[in-house]
Amino acid sequence: MGVGATRGRATARVTRMQHWTLDDIPWERFDRSRVDPEILKVVKAASMVEANGGDYARYLCNIFHDDPEFQQVANDWAREEVQHGMALARWAAIVDPTFDFDAAFKRFTDGFKIETWRTESLRGSRSGELVSRCIVETGTSSYYSALRDATDEPVLKEICRNIAADEFRHYKLFYNYLNRYLAAEGVGPVRRFAAAVSRIRESEDDELAYAYYAANYADERYDHKRFIRAYLRRAYSFYRPPHIQRGIGMILKSVGLTPNGRLNAFLTKWVSRLLRFRVQRLARAEM
Ligand SMILES: [Fe+2]
Ligand SMILES: [Fe+2]
């Protein structure tokens, strides 16, 4: 039996009741003159990763095989992630009617596989898995907030606003389960911190680079270095200090540290500089 069953059911119910749909997006306000072709490329890539939520839910359901409440939450969560993919893909197809989402998504999932057959978390414990989910939701919530602020296209802005709100809620959902599992598994601060660091380091692995490739470069050969650089140069350029500050607060909280103290102020300054520097270096490398 999983921990926090009643609360888990209640959270899942609220999630289902209040969720937006694609019909809530004001598609009629689309303004082609405000589309940035660079943003289009990363939106296509994001639609791939989001639409793959179902496989990640299967992995989570195996890891939490005796916690039906968490499995329900994971399946509801995945439906929302897939919907993010559908909203982004629809926007991308309006901008570029030649965008064939189904073909691109097949290319992506043929080349990038989530280890759905596993019965133990890649992170060494369920708590580690939940820390890693918190890191991912930190990344997505800050990314869609940054993208929302970076685009002037009204429909994409609205889509990103909705998605970012979901991602912040997903973080809270996984964070609540993390607290319950930390106590149940007796996972200490060192293992918790290690899980966070390992997931942050993975952010430059294959998933995003392959999604960027599959969504944008059907006729070319996959080259990890080339596509991760191209993706990150664009993605990092959207971030401004408030997005970074909030993200760092969420990461600190997920490892049990004070979210908004001096450490946050220091890290926000440092990461803001680092991202600016990396965008410049990546731009030079792409030339
Ligand atoms: Fe998402
Ligand atoms: Fe999410």
Side-chain angles (χ1 to χ4, degrees):
M1 187 65 186
V3 282
T6 311
R7 206 167 148 195
R9 262 198 301 274
T11 313
R13 213 163 33 235
V14 168
T15 302
R16 274 199 298 275
M17 278 165 56
Q18 296 179 341
H19 202 242
W20 56 279
T21 72
L22 264 60
D23 293 336
D24 297 322
I25 303 296
W27 302 101
E28 71 287 353
R29 285 172 51 203
F30 176 69
D31 184 347
R32 185 169 296 279
S33 68
R34 291 176 185 266
V35 172
D36 176 341
E38 296 290 292
I39 288 183
L40 173 63
K41 286 184 178 174
V42 295
V43 166
K44 287 179 179 176
S47 75
M48 307 281 104
V49 178
E50 296 280 356
N52 211 16
D55 267 4
Y56 211 90
R58 270 185 283 286
Y59 163 81
L60 287 175
C61 285
N62 285 342
I63 305 303
F64 292 82
H65 51 83
D66 59 352
D67 187 342
E69 285 73 30
F70 182 80
Q71 292 180 330
Q72 177 68 59
V73 165
N75 285 322
D76 289 343
W77 160 82
R79 262 190 291 281
E80 294 188 3
E81 300 295 7
V82 171
Q83 187 184 308
H84 297 169
M86 296 304 104
L88 294 166
R90 189 187 286 188
W91 182 84
I94 292 171
V95 179
D96 171 12
T98 68
F99 177 51
D100 183 344
F101 172 81
D102 292 336
F105 188 61
K106 183 174 183 319
R107 203 157 38 240
F108 174 58
T109 51
D110 283 349
F112 179 81
K113 302 260 182 235
I114 292 169
E115 298 180 21
T116 50
W117 56 87
R118 278 184 171 270
T119 51
E120 297 223 334
S121 169
L122 286 160
R123 322 287 160 191
S125 65
R126 292 179 177 183
S127 302
E129 182 63 42
L130 291 164
V131 170
S132 131
R133 295 321 308 161
C134 286
I135 299 298
V136 171
E137 300 296 347
T138 300
T140 53
S141 56
S142 62
Y143 181 60
Y144 289 110
S145 301
L147 195 53
R148 172 201 65 206
D149 295 341
T151 184
D152 291 327
E153 201 296 303
V155 176
L156 182 60
K157 220 179 203 11
E158 194 56 27
I159 293 171
C160 290
R161 193 190 315 279
N162 281 320
I163 296 181
D166 284 349
E167 311 294 18
F168 284 117
R169 187 165 39 76
H170 293 164
Y171 172 92
K172 287 185 194 132
L173 200 64
F174 290 124
Y175 181 76
N176 286 340
Y177 275 93
L178 168 64
N179 281 329
R180 296 174 221 174
Y181 270 101
L182 281 172
E185 291 185 316
V187 168
V190 174
R191 281 171 70 196
R192 189 173 174 182
F193 187 76
V197 171
S198 115
R199 189 57 190 86
I200 292 168
R201 289 173 65 131
E202 273 175 36
S203 58
E204 299 191 7
D205 281 1
D206 257 345
E207 187 175 26
L208 294 168
Y210 206 81
Y212 187 80
Y213 154 76
N216 291 291
Y217 294 91
D219 304 329
E220 300 189 29
R221 265 171 56 117
Y222 179 62
D223 172 347
H224 175 76
K225 218 178 206 178
R226 173 186 167 198
F227 291 113
I228 195 68
R229 280 176 173 166
Y231 174 80
L232 292 177
R233 202 259 297 163
R234 288 163 180 84
Y236 287 163
S237 71
F238 306 138
Y239 282 87
R240 298 293 173 265
H243 311 125
I244 295 167
Q245 184 183 23
R246 189 164 181 188
I248 285 174
M250 290 162 74
I251 291 173
L252 292 174
K253 190 173 161 182
S254 73
V255 296
L257 296 170
T258 308
N260 290 313
R262 276 199 201 154
L263 183 58
N264 184 317
F266 168 77
L267 288 173
T268 298
K269 240 186 225 171
W270 184 73
V271 173
S272 300
R273 266 191 217 145
L274 180 74
L275 289 192
R276 269 203 309 274
F277 174 70
R278 287 215 64 195
V279 168
Q280 287 166 4
R281 267 190 61 180
L282 289 164
R284 277 201 298 273
E286 263 194 282
M287 284 195 312

